[in-house]
Amino acid sequence: MSRRAARLPENEAVLERLRELRADDAAARGGRLLAYVYDPGLDSLDDLADAAASELRHVNGLDPTVFPSVAAMERDVLRFVTHAVRGGRSVVGSVTSGGTESCLLAVKTARDLWRERSGPGRRPRLVAPITAHAAFQKAAELFDLKWDPVPCAPDGSAQASDLIARFDDDVALVVVSAPAYPTGMLDPVAEVAAAARARGIRCHVDACFGGLVLPWRPGLPPWDFRVRGVTSISVDLHKFGYAPKGVSVLLHRGGRQHRAQFFATTRWPGYPVVNGTLLGSRSASPLAAAWAIIERYGENSFVVWATQIGVAADRIREAVGSITGLAVLGDPVGPALTLVADEALPPGERVDPHLLADAMLTHGWRLQHQPGFRQSDRTRFPHSVHLTVSPVMLRQVEEFTRALAAASDAVRGRPRASGRTPATLMRLLGYGPGGRVPGPRAAGILLRLAGAGHVTGDQPMAQLMALIEELPAPVAEALLVEVLARLSEPRKA
């Protein structure tokens, strides 16, 4: 018997344990989870991606001079994405580990180039609609920019005039989204980018979410490199490129801007270090999977998938329009929809979106809760539910809309969950505006008092979302950190 054969029972035992752990996970395929995952509904695509990723399992993307296959695949992937977002020969870029890294690098690049022009001693500003992805807040914190979020209209739309009014010579970057994740709406890219170009301000389009769908959606205003003032674009391949996590692309207009993204040093005794991204060593497997999908399926398949998403999203919007008390926020372009209560109706006829999402669990569907948000101008973003629409949804859109109608009937007129009682208790204990932020032990106690000591994906979330809305942001954030941190802590016997 070979050594490999002798090991098989032990391997199978480990794999069986892994399957047991996976039993509590949400289904990543099949379209019943409407956030985080992206499914074209093709087993053959998944098989190809798995095989390609396995081929590169031992390859380190750190040094493409040692592994030239990495550079070759990057060239092909960059060529495909550049063509999709209408980039010309001057557009160059890099493959990154995901949308957050692409956004971080876009901000770092803009900051460094702004410092070259403006000199030391000043702190640059990052301007964006409040609906811009939270990764840009993280980037501002990491790279020491002032985060300057601009309130949106009540329907969730970003207004070009409000963004342009914030422009001054301390602005290193303005960010617009295609589309914004919380709303699915396309920001006014052309107007903002033109004004930014006139002021010498860089303009980044965050197309991490829609960059491989919107190019094949007809009738949209220009949002890509056709707009002259757009200086960089991020596009995720592990979203609607259907590759495994994590692989993204950051594209720049011009080599000088791209090179500002790099880190290089010879000022240590080891090998010369040159990193095009924030990571050093990095897996080449997600890149290989993305490359294989593009090679095998090509642009025509992306057109088909974008069309399927559009048809499914339109049918969901039509169904929502026939459900009393429920509405779609604004005018989303896909591939996302945001559901809110129809506040034009009296409370007894409204469908609370968070109660709706909780009710949908009993029908086998998982939607993403989004808490309400009070903007700096004191206007309020309504609490809502986010739906990411994948191509596979087209096969089951009738089942989904029937469940949506039934769940709406079950919760219509019920008052939304309230977090006021636990929030009041926390304020009485000194946590809140002008007070303390709880540390790990206190946060754990407060979570248990609020009934959220152990949060899992298959439990109702309306109560926790209501609590988040009531608490000051630093307190809510400390509690959420504790929720996630405790999930992965080794449990004491």
Side-chain angles (χ1 to χ4, degrees):
M1 180 181 293
S2 69
R3 290 175 61 194
R4 178 178 179 276
R7 290 197 305 266
L8 285 178
E10 291 81 1
N11 289 356
E12 184 55 38
V14 172
L15 293 175
E16 182 57 33
R17 173 59 179 148
L18 180 59
R19 295 182 194 108
E20 291 173 3
L21 295 174
R22 289 274 289 123
D24 291 332
D25 288 353
R29 286 291 180 263
R32 303 186 80 86
L33 172 61
L34 281 81
Y36 303 127
V37 295
Y38 309 84
D39 186 4
L42 294 173
D43 291 341
S44 59
L45 182 147
D46 289 338
D47 292 343
L48 173 65
D50 289 346
S54 181
E55 288 287 334
L56 275 289
R57 186 165 64 91
H58 298 292
V59 169
N60 189 341
L62 169 66
D63 191 345
T65 67
V66 176
F67 300 107
S69 65
V70 172
M73 289 186 293
E74 283 206 18
R75 287 194 299 270
D76 290 342
V77 167
L78 292 168
R79 186 181 298 113
F80 178 82
V81 178
T82 299
H83 172 73
V85 297
R86 311 302 201 277
R89 295 181 64 181
S90 66
V91 171
V92 292
S94 300
V95 173
T96 75
S97 66
T100 294
E101 188 178 20
S102 290
C103 296
L104 293 175
L105 286 166
V107 173
K108 175 197 174 295
T109 299
R111 182 205 64 177
D112 291 352
L113 293 174
W114 181 89
R115 283 177 173 175
E116 284 184 15
R117 183 184 69 195
S118 300
R122 300 178 65 199
R123 189 183 181 204
R125 192 156 42 98
L126 171 57
V127 173
I130 191 61
T131 51
H133 197 279
F136 292 100
Q137 295 185 46
K138 181 187 290 188
E141 182 176 318
L142 289 174
F143 300 127
D144 195 29
L145 290 86
K146 298 175 186 174
W147 169 241
D148 188 6
V150 179
C152 291
D155 68 352
S157 60
Q159 305 300 304
S161 58
D162 293 341
L163 289 160
I164 295 167
R166 303 289 183 100
F167 288 179
D168 208 336
D169 61 1
D170 67 332
V171 177
L173 184 68
V174 60
V175 173
V176 280
S177 301
Y181 184 90
T183 65
M185 295 172 68
L186 181 63
D187 285 346
V189 175
E191 300 94 321
V192 172
R197 183 169 183 267
R199 292 293 300 264
I201 296 170
R202 286 176 170 77
C203 177
H204 178 75
V205 175
D206 176 20
C208 287
F209 191 61
L212 291 175
V213 176
L214 300 191
W216 301 288
R217 293 295 303 273
L220 297 181
W223 57 270
D224 47 29
F225 279 118
R226 289 172 294 177
V227 180
R228 293 183 65 193
V230 170
T231 54
S232 57
I233 296 179
S234 51
V235 177
D236 283 1
L237 289 145
H238 63 217
K239 289 189 172 74
F240 292 100
Y242 310 106
K245 308 288 184 183
V247 55
S248 175
V249 161
L250 175 60
L251 299 172
H252 298 281
R253 193 191 297 273
R256 180 173 177 271
Q257 182 167 299
H258 177 235
R259 284 10 172 222
Q261 171 188 311
F262 279 63
F263 170 80
T265 185
T266 58
R267 284 168 277 190
W268 79 308
Y271 62 95
V273 173
V274 184
N275 299 142
T277 61
L278 296 176
L279 301 184
S281 289
R282 54 193 175 110
S283 172
S285 289
L287 167 64
W291 175 87
I293 292 167
I294 289 169
E295 286 287 302
R296 163 65 178 82
Y297 291 94
E299 183 174 338
N300 288 342
S301 293
F302 282 86
V303 174
V304 170
W305 295 327
T307 301
Q308 291 172 339
I309 290 168
V311 173
D314 288 345
R315 291 184 184 174
I316 294 171
R317 290 184 71 170
E318 183 180 354
V320 170
S322 68
I323 296 175
T324 300
L326 191 64
V328 172
L329 180 67
D331 186 20
V333 296
L337 299 171
T338 300
L339 307 185
V340 295
D342 186 351
E343 296 190 356
L345 296 178
E349 297 180 31
R350 297 175 192 170
V351 173
D352 181 83
H354 288 177
L355 295 179
L356 171 66
D358 288 350
M360 287 291 283
L361 287 170
T362 65
H363 295 271
W365 301 89
R366 297 192 185 206
L367 317 183
Q368 188 176 52
H369 301 68
Q370 297 185 142
F373 181 80
R374 190 166 298 281
Q375 304 186 92
S376 59
D377 63 359
R378 308 308 299 165
T379 61
R380 182 180 174 276
F381 246 58
H383 65 294
S384 63
V385 167
H386 167 97
L387 312 180
T388 292
V389 182
S390 289
V392 73
M393 175 58 77
L394 187 57
R395 301 178 188 172
Q396 50 202 15
V397 67
E398 287 79 13
E399 181 188 353
F400 174 76
T401 54
R402 285 196 301 269
L404 199 67
S408 296
D409 290 343
V411 304
R412 184 176 293 107
R414 284 175 50 190
R416 63 168 304 189
S418 173
R420 289 182 180 175
T421 299
T424 299
L425 174 61
M426 292 183 200
R427 283 192 287 269
L428 290 173
L429 292 172
Y431 300 105
R436 297 176 293 164
V437 173
R441 184 171 180 275
I445 294 171
L446 293 172
L447 283 167
R448 287 196 295 275
L449 291 173
H454 182 69
V455 176
T456 61
D458 59 353
Q459 73 181 56
M461 299 289 285
Q463 188 67 52
L464 179 60
M465 294 295 113
L467 177 60
I468 290 169
E469 286 190 42
E470 287 288 335
L471 292 173
V475 178
E477 289 158 2
L479 296 185
L480 291 171
V481 166
E482 198 60 23
V483 168
L484 268 293
R486 288 185 175 224
L487 285 177
S488 56
E489 284 183 347
R491 295 176 183 173
K492 298 178 176 62

